[in-house]
Amino acid sequence: MAHKLKRYEHLAEQIADMIRAGVLAVNERVPSVRQASERYGVSPATVFRAYYLLEDRGLIQARERSGYYVRPQGRPRLAETAQPHLPSAATDVGVSELVFSVLGSLRDPATVPFGSAFPGPGLFPLGPLARSMGRAVQRLSPHAIIADMTAGNPDLARHILQRYRLSGATPAASELVITNGAMEALNLCLQAVTQPGDLVAIESPAFYASLQVLERLKLRAVEIPVRPGAGMDLDALAHSLDCLPIKACWLMSNFQNPMGATLAEADKVRLCDLLARQQVPLIEDDVYAELYFGSTPPRPVKSFDREGWVMHCSSFSKSLAPGYRVGWAAAGRFADSVTRLKLMTTLSPSVPAQAAIADYLQHGGYDRHLRKLRHALEDQQRAMLDAAARYFPAQTRVTQPNGGYFLWFEFPRQVNALALFHDAFAQGISLAPGPMFSATQGFGHCIRLNYGNPWDSRCEAAMEALGKLLAQQVAALQ
């Protein structure tokens, strides 16, 4: 059951939503304690607690004898680009060497992990999860150890289906396939609807693991531009579907990696209708949906699917338990094919891990943990944006997503992201260069940075060092 917000927390979220939406502008005075008390029908003590919470999160600041004001929140959003070039051909994919190089840079724990794909492990409830694992393993019957291998843990499946209903989606229990993390779910869904040589529409820039999957399965990529802040360009997708024999579409609908973009609800409806008319399956990678800022969760495209063409994939790896490797697919009309492929490959995710997460979802306070995690990520995003404003070149543009834990930076064209990656690594800083997110090795002047670790002096020093490396590149080429 969701943990009910306390009155002051609810008021704080209402005001935070207004700040994010621009209803309350930077440096604008928020209502006085008396005004807020009268407007929202709460006590002055409740208003004070809400304002203290907003102040702790860096959204407002007190000015002596003047009241509370909205704090500046770093750089503005990355501006929309001009109409992108519409893709007309497919591309063979070969990015694995670059990806492995970036992942290798994260092996040393002394490295600042701006290139990581995960939040900091200290943000997860590892102790309560361990206790859930102990309880769950003690309760496992010999029958369940075997039965849950193929069918999945029934309590876990029930909790997943409950959370789907909270998001507005109503998949049937028969659609649900428990997998070894979201990556297995995504792999199996793609294999279920393609053959080697087929064309797959993907985002550009795209999550690098999706490119690796296409590379491994010998599929060809049709890159569809992603609009900063708005997600995949659906006009470009429609054009490609008319011109090319695309067999599947793979995208992140919420807080897309690497840009952080989220499709508007109207675009999710349009996407669902467009692909259903063309009878093209959608593989919806939605692993960041629980990491939204504010009080309103984003809906998945799956919630608008009425014909079973959407295969929705997610996991607990980004929100609760990265090492447990428990994910799933709500695979629509393709569920039987996905299930058979799973039985032919890995057979089953860890039965104890499934039972442990089911126990935690029942007893561990998952929603309370998620609220704490979201607030931490929002604070850390603000810290990275503020640091970028201090240290990065004035021409820098950056996204500012309303969830997840990635920022996408676009630098002046003369910046070489691959050279920056190597120079930064020599100073103990990992980052993700733009070319690893493109089948055509584009985005050579862009990088993705992860703000998922608690902000400290080491992070601040790393941003300053990156700023100096960027300044050196820009100066050398002027």
Side-chain angles (χ1 to χ4, degrees):
M1 294 292 292
H3 175 75
K4 187 177 180 180
L5 287 176
K6 295 177 181 177
R7 187 168 292 183
Y8 77 91
E9 292 175 321
H10 182 70
L11 176 58
E13 283 299 336
Q14 285 183 283
I15 296 171
D17 282 342
M18 289 192 288
I19 293 171
R20 295 184 195 100
V23 176
L24 288 172
V26 171
N27 293 322
E28 183 176 347
R29 189 174 186 264
V30 300
S32 69
V33 172
R34 182 179 58 80
Q35 290 171 330
S37 176
E38 293 172 354
R39 180 180 302 176
Y40 297 104
V42 297
S43 69
T46 297
V47 178
F48 273 120
R49 292 191 72 183
Y51 283 5
Y52 292 155
L53 180 59
L54 291 167
E55 192 173 25
D56 285 344
R57 291 169 56 191
L59 290 172
I60 65 175
Q61 59 189 2
R63 295 181 185 174
E64 190 173 358
R65 299 182 181 179
S66 182
Y68 287 94
Y69 291 79
V70 178
R71 279 192 67 216
Q73 302 297 310
R75 290 188 178 274
R77 291 181 181 272
L78 176 62
E80 289 285 352
T81 56
Q83 177 63 36
H85 175 69
L86 297 180
S88 58
T91 305
D92 291 320
V93 182
V95 299
S96 285
E97 286 305 315
L98 176 56
V99 171
F100 292 143
S101 177
V102 173
L103 296 180
S105 72
L106 294 163
R107 290 176 186 153
D108 184 351
T111 299
V112 179
F114 289 161
S116 171
F118 292 93
L123 297 176
F124 297 110
L126 302 181
L129 275 169
R131 291 190 288 275
S132 284
M133 175 69 84
R135 286 193 299 267
V137 170
Q138 287 180 343
R139 289 198 304 265
L140 274 177
S141 69
H143 172 75
I145 290 172
I146 301 302
D148 291 358
M149 286 179 65
T150 53
N153 181 288
D155 291 332
L156 177 64
R158 178 171 54 83
H159 283 293
I160 291 171
L161 290 170
Q162 285 176 354
R163 298 198 75 80
Y164 266 118
R165 280 153 180 74
L166 293 174
S167 75
T170 56
S174 58
E175 288 187 48
L176 197 64
V177 185
I178 308 296
T179 61
N180 280 291
M183 276 313 304
E184 183 183 43
L186 294 159
N187 270 269
L188 294 175
C189 288
L190 191 60
Q191 290 178 68
V193 296
T194 61
Q195 298 291 331
D198 282 348
L199 275 57
V200 179
I202 63 167
E203 296 162 309
S204 181
F207 175 38
Y208 59 77
S210 68
L211 300 173
Q212 289 182 294
V213 173
L214 267 62
E215 183 178 344
R216 182 178 65 82
L217 297 178
K218 297 183 174 13
L219 300 168
R220 306 184 72 203
V222 178
E223 295 193 302
I224 310 297
V226 173
R227 301 161 298 167
M232 180 180 278
D233 186 327
L234 298 188
D235 290 335
L237 175 62
H239 173 85
S240 293
L241 290 169
D242 287 339
C243 297
L244 297 168
I246 291 172
K247 299 300 183 183
C249 178
W250 177 341
L251 62 70
M252 288 185 170
S253 52
N254 299 306
F255 316 124
Q256 185 256 6
N257 179 359
M259 269 194 167
T262 295
L263 283 168
E265 277 202 9
D267 285 338
K268 290 173 180 175
V269 173
R270 181 187 172 196
L271 173 66
C272 203
D273 292 344
L274 172 64
L275 294 175
R277 282 199 309 272
Q278 300 272 6
Q279 296 193 346
V280 173
L282 173 64
I283 300 161
E284 183 180 13
D285 183 351
D286 201 18
V287 294
Y288 304 106
E290 295 277 25
L291 305 183
Y292 58 91
F293 304 157
S295 57
T296 305
R299 294 180 65 177
V301 178
K302 182 72 176 176
S303 67
F304 304 103
D305 179 30
R306 300 294 176 263
E307 300 181 40
W309 288 99
V310 178
M311 293 179 276
H312 182 270
C313 302
S314 192
S315 80
F316 295 103
S317 294
K318 306 299 191 294
S319 61
L320 178 63
Y324 284 52
R325 304 307 303 151
V326 174
W328 66 89
R333 61 174 63 205
F334 307 100
D336 287 345
S337 297
V338 172
T339 298
R340 291 191 191 102
L341 284 168
K342 187 188 80 165
L343 296 177
M344 292 165 60
T345 52
T346 58
L347 182 64
S348 169
S350 164
V351 171
Q354 293 182 63
I357 290 180
D359 181 272
Y360 181 86
L361 295 175
Q362 181 67 37
H363 304 293
Y366 185 41
D367 285 287
R368 186 165 55 249
H369 154 69
L370 285 175
R371 280 198 300 278
K372 184 178 178 181
L373 175 61
R374 292 172 193 136
H375 290 160
L377 293 176
E378 188 172 16
D379 291 345
Q380 289 159 205
Q381 183 196 89
R382 191 175 305 110
M384 180 171 276
L385 286 167
D386 288 347
R390 284 191 291 274
Y391 303 125
F392 286 7
Q395 309 96 311
T396 300
R397 297 192 292 180
V398 59
T399 55
Q400 192 173 333
N402 289 318
Y405 48 90
F406 297 119
L407 294 178
W408 179 255
F409 289 88
E410 181 180 305
F411 300 119
R413 288 279 173 180
Q414 61 263 46
V415 167
N416 183 321
L418 291 174
L420 181 66
F421 163 72
H422 291 294
D423 292 342
F425 182 48
Q427 297 191 27
I429 305 165
S430 173
L431 57 85
M436 70 185 287
F437 301 98
S438 169
T440 55
Q441 307 282 293
F443 307 102
H445 62 301
C446 301
I447 65 171
R448 186 202 72 184
L449 296 183
N450 178 336
Y451 56 83
N453 282 270
W455 201 259
D456 56 18
S457 58
R458 195 170 69 122
C459 294
E460 187 75 20
M463 292 293 285
E464 184 175 10
L466 287 177
K468 290 177 180 177
L469 291 173
L470 287 163
Q472 290 169 10
Q473 279 203 24
V474 172
L477 294 169
Q478 282 180 344

